[in-house]
Amino acid sequence: MKEIGHWINGKRVAGTSGRFADVFNPATGEVQAKVALASKAELDAAVAAAAAAQPAWGATNPQRRARVMMEFVRLINRDMDKLAEALSSEHGKTFPDAKGDVQRGLEVIEFCIGAPHLLKGEFTDSAGPGIDMYSMRQPVGVAAGITPFNFPAMIPLWKMGPALSAGNAFILKPSERDPSVPLMLAELLQEAGLPDGLLQVVNGDKESVDAILDNETIGAVGFVGSTPIASYIYSRGCANGKRVQCFGGAKNHMIIMPDADMEQAADALVGAGYGAAGERCMAISVALPVGEETADRLIEALVPRIEKLKVGPYTAGNDVDYGPVVTAAAKANILRLVETGVEQGAKLVVDGRNFKLQGYENGFFVGPHLFDHVTKDMDIYKTEIFGPVLSTVRCKTYEEALGMAMDHEYGNGTAIFTRDGDTARDFAHRVNVGMIGINVPIPVPLAYHTFGGWKKSAFGDLNQHGPDAFRFYTRTKTITSRWPSGIKEGSAFNFKAMD
Ligand code: NAD
């Protein structure tokens, strides 16, 4: 059986804890590898080595660090297919979707090439008599990232890119479900010129996460995953004096107004609800048609589209709309929630419970489900299902639909489909959710904006990527200076690069 270890001080190393987790091929249900789960001692040793490597990197001029990112971009593009293949085989998502996962991470690395600009401080000339005042952004030292299974390339890249280009060393604890791509990215960063020790990829579970939270050297922790774990990591990390940002779960609502282009809205909902088997924190899982007539038209437009969805293994290439979910446990949980929906009185309009794929009977495939007449008190409405299940809640008015999105405990993303500018503008202003789509179902901001939800979808002050990431991974220092005036040395005539 293939064993997957860690990336420490510039090389792959085997785990020493003796503990492992299974890595599945979700399409077949087979265990394809075992990933080592680090002990606290392994994690602490990786942090100590990172701390030793960081001062020289922090002192390297930012333009040189940015050049490493520039080369990293080239290498990721070179290996795009290889990365996507490894990603699909462990996660299960389709090959084009796996490339999208790498691509959305790559865009943040492209943004990091501008780090020298983002790291500039501020300056006040003559803040007092002979006094200048300036601020600088310095790396926090050693930062850490704990990432989820559903974007095994994108989210590690969102974390490691800004942290490293800001001059930090970085400890990545990726998901134990799909650990191969983060290790491949570490190899590429080394090839791009990153000195050894600055990026340590430590595979593991709760033991290594707790070791990160309790390690005194680590100054900042970025987490992405489910809300209960986000909340736990936020409180333990903060209690230990760290800077912490945690991004959690979601239940994203999409309002469909009576004036919406119904064909466009239905296409958008099917892509956003069932793409990646619903395993996206920005997936739309609740449709809110306004008015009975709109709801009837929506269901009529959705059903044939959903019934046509092609579910299969990534090896089928472009012929598949979505693949299996990540584990048998995830599948069982989705099907359990579907049962509660039926028991609690929702109408199951498209029933995927008996979905079977010939030749892949042991794979973790879940057929598409569509519920109508869902109400606020049902488990399928309250819970993040993280599967191919779309719930329709019929609303009488726009205010009622807006209230649904506002009252839900999660506030990651939301969308409205309408032709009316006033309604769209009102929605964008009033809704208490972090990322809003207007006739756009999955409004994931681009790399130079920032990504983050509200309410129980995020804990901490700053968002991911964009300028916020550089604020999160640096500390501000402000200097007030006064010098005796006087003429300095003679002249220099050569024009020299900043080495
Ligand atoms: P998860 O919370 O189970 O795991 C996330 C990370 O936490 C993993 O690295 C895992 O090893 C670690 N972990 C798990 N249990 C732990 C415990 N008890 N103590 C300490 N660490 C623990 O999440 P997941 O299933 O990998 O990912 C899916 C979740 O992530 C969904 O809820 C999804 O909405 C969310 N997500 C959110 C965003 C966002 O930006 N808001 C993005 C992607 C995914």
Side-chain angles (χ1 to χ4, degrees):
M1 177 68 61
K2 179 175 152 197
E3 262 184 35
I4 299 171
H6 316 291
W7 176 264
I8 306 291
N9 300 335
K11 44 183 187 299
R12 285 186 186 248
V13 300
T16 58
S17 71
R19 294 194 309 122
F20 293 90
D22 290 338
V23 178
F24 291 94
N25 174 346
T28 61
E30 284 159 9
V31 177
Q32 57 169 313
K34 296 217 170 274
V35 60
L37 302 174
S39 63
K40 177 172 170 22
E42 285 173 290
L43 188 283
D44 286 344
V47 174
Q54 189 273 330
W57 178 244
T60 301
N61 82 44
Q63 207 166 1
R64 287 188 168 266
R65 295 196 302 251
R67 285 185 194 133
V68 173
M69 294 297 147
M70 219 182 286
E71 179 61 3
F72 190 31
V73 165
R74 189 185 73 76
L75 296 174
I76 293 174
N77 277 313
R78 183 195 71 189
D79 286 5
M80 176 66 83
D81 283 2
K82 229 158 72 179
L83 290 161
E85 163 87 31
L87 199 158
S88 289
S89 81
E90 290 181 353
H91 177 285
K93 64 176 73 175
T94 66
F95 188 67
D97 201 28
K99 280 174 133 178
D101 188 327
V102 180
Q103 177 63 32
R104 286 315 280 271
L106 174 64
E107 288 166 11
V108 169
I109 305 300
E110 289 171 346
F111 178 73
C112 290
I113 295 170
H117 170 70
L118 292 153
L119 293 169
K120 282 189 305 195
E122 293 171 326
F123 187 85
T124 303
D125 173 46
S126 300
I131 295 176
D132 299 326
M133 192 174 288
Y134 60 98
S135 61
M136 53 174 82
R137 291 193 173 278
Q138 295 192 323
V140 294
V142 182
I146 301 156
T147 55
F149 82 84
N150 67 326
F151 282 100
M154 181 182 86
I155 296 178
L157 287 166
W158 285 7
K159 305 271 176 220
M160 67 171 79
L164 290 167
S165 35
N168 297 285
F170 191 68
I171 311 295
L172 175 66
K173 205 303 284 171
S175 170
E176 61 275 41
R177 312 244 178 273
D178 38 22
S180 287
V181 170
L183 292 167
M184 292 164 77
L185 292 172
E187 283 172 338
L188 292 184
L189 254 177
Q190 183 187 50
E191 193 181 338
L194 185 76
D196 293 346
L198 290 166
L199 173 65
Q200 313 277 51
V201 182
V202 182
N203 281 306
D205 57 1
K206 182 169 166 54
E207 182 171 341
S208 44
V209 170
D210 287 348
I212 286 173
L213 299 174
D214 296 342
N215 185 292
E216 288 186 357
T217 304
I218 294 175
V221 179
F223 169 86
V224 181
S226 59
T227 287
I229 311 297
S231 158
Y232 163 73
I233 288 178
Y234 189 69
S235 34
R236 187 157 169 173
C238 289
N240 286 337
K242 300 186 193 313
R243 180 179 291 190
V244 189
Q245 58 171 197
C246 294
F247 299 91
K251 193 82 179 173
N252 304 316
H253 296 57
M254 177 169 139
I255 298 181
I256 301 96
M257 294 300 293
D259 67 352
D261 178 330
M262 195 52 82
E263 297 300 305
Q264 188 195 46
D267 283 338
L269 257 176
V270 172
Y274 301 94
E279 289 177 323
R280 289 183 182 139
C281 68
M282 290 293 278
I284 296 286
S285 47
V286 181
L288 302 172
V290 172
E292 282 298 313
E293 196 259 334
T294 312
D296 291 342
R297 282 193 292 130
L298 178 69
I299 296 289
E300 201 181 302
L302 283 176
V303 170
R305 285 170 166 82
I306 297 170
E307 284 174 346
K308 260 195 262 153
L309 284 172
K310 289 173 280 175
V311 184
Y314 79 93
T315 41
N318 290 331
D319 283 342
V320 172
D321 294 315
Y322 74 82
V325 299
V326 70
T327 55
K331 176 175 174 171
N333 188 46
I334 295 162
L335 294 176
R336 178 188 64 79
L337 280 159
V338 168
E339 289 308 326
T340 69
V342 175
E343 282 157 21
Q344 290 167 14
K347 186 171 169 204
L348 189 54
V349 184
V350 179
D351 184 351
R353 284 176 294 181
N354 294 320
F355 179 85
K356 291 256 173 329
L357 192 63
Q358 208 183 359
Y360 294 91
E361 285 78 5
N362 296 323
F364 311 138
F365 292 97
V366 180
H369 295 79
L370 173 66
F371 277 110
D372 195 2
H373 298 286
V374 174
T375 54
K376 244 180 163 170
D377 50 320
M378 294 179 183
D379 290 349
I380 51 168
Y381 177 72
K382 291 188 284 192
T383 316
E384 179 184 42
I385 302 176
F386 227 52
V389 183
L390 181 63
S391 295
T392 310
V393 181
R394 292 174 175 240
C395 298
K396 290 193 177 57
T397 61
Y398 163 69
E399 287 296 332
E400 185 188 343
L402 174 67
M404 295 290 296
M406 303 263 299
D407 290 347
H408 204 284
E409 66 170 338
Y410 291 120
N412 213 37
T414 185
I416 187 165
F417 273 63
T418 180
R419 288 188 170 100
D420 183 65
D422 271 351
T423 311
R425 193 164 182 277
D426 182 81
F427 179 68
H429 272 268
R430 286 169 64 199
V431 72
N432 53 0
V433 172
M435 294 170 280
I436 319 296
I438 296 172
N439 298 315
V440 171
I442 303 195
V444 175
L446 288 174
Y448 41 93
H449 286 265
T450 70
F451 180 110
W454 287 17
K455 299 186 277 182
K456 288 275 167 58
S457 295
F459 301 76
D461 303 322
L462 293 165
N463 277 355
Q464 308 193 79
H465 67 64
D468 271 12
F470 284 84
R471 292 189 190 110
F472 183 73
Y473 290 112
T474 55
R475 285 179 297 198
T476 303
K477 189 182 271 180
T478 308
I479 294 101
T480 306
S481 78
R482 173 154 53 194
W483 290 98
S485 55
I487 302 299
K488 309 294 178 286
E489 335 248 278
S491 318
F493 295 96
N494 53 334
F495 186 58
K496 200 167 163 294
M498 288 292 179
D499 289 328

